[in-house]
C-alpha cells in the first residue's frame, strides 16, 4: 500500500475543499492515486467536493479590445498582487494598451508579445518599468487574438470577468450571448468540443453512483447516459438555457434571430491560481499522524 503523506492530503484538500479525514480516506482507498482519490470524493460528497479552480483569489484585470469594424479584437488577463494596484491608472492603461496591441499585431504567444515594440521600448521593458514604479509584480498571464469575417462582441464585468464572442447576426444578439457566457461560464460551445477525458470522468462518477443504487444493469446504463447528457447540457453554450429566457436554449434563441456563434472566450481573473492564506499544517499532521 502506498504511503499517504501529509503533503498528499494537503494537496487533495486544496483541490477539493473536502474535509481532511475524507481526503485521507480517499487516498487510502485509491492507494495514493491522486486523480482516483479526487474521483472517489466526488462520488461520496457530490458538489461539496468543489474544484480548486472555483476559488478565485489572484488579482488583476481582464480586458477586451474590439476594433471599430468589429472584425479584429483580443482578450487579455494581466495579474498583479493586490486589488489596490488593479485600480491604479497606470496599470489600467497598460492592460488596455496591451489588449489593443495584441489585436493589431497578433503575437503567436506570450514570448512573442513580450518582444513586441511598445511605447518607448518593448512590452517586457515597459512591464518591468511599471513593476519598478508601482512596487508590485505584474505579469501578462494569457491572451487570445481574434480576426473574423463575421463580427465580434464583448462583455466585461468589473474588470474581473471578460468575454469575447465571434458571431453573426444583430449586434444585440452578440451582446446578449457575451453576457450569457459571463453569467453561465460554459466550458465549450457544443458537446462535440467537450474534452473526451472530461466526459469519461463524468461517466465514471455517474457509473459508480448508479451502481450503488442496486438497480438492474439496463437501468444503470440509462442512468449513466442520462447523467452524462445532463452534464453536457449544463456545460455547453448552445445547450444551456438562455439567461434572458430560460424557456429556450441559447441555440434556439440564435436560430430565432437568424444568428450563429462560431467561437468565444471567457477569462476570469485569477482562475486556477491558488493563493490560500490558511495554514493547514497542524490539521494535516493531526490527520496523517505526521
Amino acid at each position: 500500500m502506498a504511503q499517504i503523506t501529509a503533503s498528499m492530503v494537503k494537496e487533495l484538500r486544496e483541490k477539493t475543499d473536502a474535509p481532511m479525514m475524507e481526503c485521507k480516506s480517499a487516498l487510502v482507498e485509491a492507494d495514493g492515486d491522486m486523480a482516483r482519490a479526487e474521483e472517489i470524493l466526488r462520488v461520496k460528497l457530490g458538489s461539496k467536493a468543489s474544484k480548486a479552480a472555483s476559488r478565485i483569489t489572484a488579482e488583476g484585470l481582464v480586458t477586451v479590445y474590439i476594433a471599430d469594424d468589429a472584425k479584429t479584437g483580443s482578450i487579455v488577463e494581466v495579474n498583479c498582487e493586490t486589488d489596490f494596484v488593479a485600480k491604479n491608472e497606470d496599470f489600467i492603461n497598460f492592460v488596455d494598451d496591451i489588449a489593443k496591441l495584441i489585436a493589431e499585431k497578433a503575437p503567436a504567444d506570450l514570448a512573442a508579445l513580450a518582444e513586441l515594440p511598445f511605447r518607448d521600448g518593448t512590452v517586457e521593458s515597459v512591464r518591468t518599468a511599471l513593476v519598478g514604479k508601482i512596487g508590485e509584480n505584474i505579469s501578462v498571464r494569457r491572451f487570445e487574438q481574434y480576426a473574423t469575417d463575421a463580427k465580434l462582441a464583448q462583455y466585461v464585468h468589473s474588470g474581473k470577468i471578460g468575454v469575447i464572442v465571434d458571431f453573426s447576426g444583430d449586434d444585440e444578439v452578440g451582446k446578449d450571448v457575451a453576457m450569457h457566457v459571463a453569467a453561465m461560464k460554459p466550458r465549450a460551445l457544443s458537446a462535440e468540443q467537450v474534452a473526451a477525458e472530461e466526459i469519461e470522468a463524468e461517466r465514471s462518477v455517474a457509473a459508480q453512483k448508479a451502481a450503488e443504487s442496486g438497480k438492474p444493469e439496463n437501468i444503470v446504463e440509462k442512468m449513466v447516459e442520462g447523467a452524462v447528457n445532463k452534464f453536457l447540457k449544463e456545460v455547453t453554450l448552445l445547450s444551456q438555457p438562455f439567461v434572458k429566457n430560460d424557456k429556450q436554449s441559447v441555440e434556439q434563441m440564435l436560430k430565432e434571430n437568424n444568428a450563429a456563434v462560431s467561437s468565444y472566450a471567457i477569462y476570469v481573473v485569477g482562475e486556477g491560481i491558488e493563493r490560500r492564506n490558511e495554514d493547514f499544517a497542524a490539521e494535516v499532521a493531526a490527520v496523517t499522524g505526521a
Side-chain angles (χ1 to χ4, degrees):
M1 177 178 289
Q3 181 180 1
I4 308 304
T5 65
S7 62
M8 292 169 67
V9 175
K10 180 175 183 291
E11 180 181 350
L12 187 59
R13 165 68 182 270
E14 291 178 346
K15 282 185 174 182
T16 65
D17 273 343
M20 282 289 184
M21 286 303 298
E22 294 287 354
C23 289
K24 183 184 178 184
S25 296
L27 282 164
V28 170
E29 184 177 340
D31 197 24
D33 185 320
M34 188 65 65
R36 174 58 183 154
E38 188 172 351
E39 188 175 88
I40 289 170
L41 285 175
R42 289 190 60 205
V43 172
K44 289 183 176 179
L45 305 179
S47 61
K48 292 181 181 178
S50 61
K51 293 185 177 180
S54 67
R55 299 195 303 271
I56 309 305
T57 56
E59 300 299 341
L61 288 175
V62 171
T63 293
V64 177
Y65 171 84
I66 294 177
D68 291 340
D69 63 2
K71 300 292 186 183
T72 58
S74 71
I75 181 170
V76 60
E77 177 184 355
V78 181
N79 294 126
C80 56
E81 295 179 42
T82 65
D83 189 52
F84 178 78
V85 167
K87 297 173 182 177
N88 177 283
E89 185 175 352
D90 289 335
F91 180 80
I92 294 170
N93 289 338
F94 175 76
V95 179
D96 289 344
D97 290 348
I98 289 295
K100 184 177 181 181
L101 184 69
I102 292 168
E104 294 176 346
K105 301 300 183 182
D109 52 30
L110 289 171
L113 172 62
E115 296 174 359
L116 284 179
F118 182 57
R119 295 179 183 171
D120 57 353
T122 64
V123 169
E124 178 58 18
S125 68
V126 173
R127 184 198 69 82
T128 301
L130 188 58
V131 169
K133 179 180 180 180
I134 291 178
E136 275 195 19
N137 189 29
I138 295 167
S139 62
V140 182
R141 185 186 180 202
R142 53 180 172 166
F143 70 85
E144 291 182 47
Q145 194 267 358
Y146 277 75
T148 181
D149 293 327
K151 297 180 189 177
L152 296 174
Q154 66 165 303
Y155 178 73
V156 177
H157 181 74
S158 302
K160 301 303 181 184
I161 303 173
V163 176
I164 188 168
V165 178
D166 187 343
F167 77 106
S168 61
D170 293 339
D171 291 349
E172 195 63 31
V173 172
K175 293 177 183 177
D176 283 347
V177 172
M179 290 181 68
H180 173 98
V181 171
M184 303 306 293
K185 300 177 180 60
R187 298 188 197 177
L189 180 66
S190 62
E192 292 74 24
Q193 294 182 8
V194 177
E197 55 267 27
E198 284 192 57
I199 296 176
E200 285 310 307
E202 290 298 321
R203 190 182 303 279
S204 176
V205 170
Q208 292 173 72
K209 287 183 176 179
E212 292 174 357
S213 70
K215 297 183 183 298
E217 185 175 346
N218 64 319
I219 301 299
V220 166
E221 289 177 359
K222 291 180 180 179
M223 290 171 65
V224 171
E225 289 309 308
V228 171
N229 289 334
K230 181 175 182 289
F231 163 74
L232 291 173
K233 184 177 180 180
E234 290 173 347
V235 302
T236 55
L237 173 60
L238 296 179
S239 296
Q240 288 179 335
F242 180 42
V243 289
K244 283 191 170 183
N245 178 10
D246 61 9
K247 297 296 189 292
Q248 62 179 180
S249 66
V250 172
E251 184 172 32
Q252 289 170 334
M253 181 278 290
L254 291 170
K255 288 181 178 178
E256 186 178 275
N257 289 277
N258 297 313
V261 172
S262 58
S263 65
Y264 72 92
I266 175 171
Y267 285 0
V268 179
V269 167
E271 187 173 34
I273 296 176
E274 290 298 322
R275 184 164 62 197
R276 299 191 62 143
N277 295 320
E278 300 95 334
D279 181 5
F280 294 119
E283 186 181 359
V284 172
V287 171
T288 61

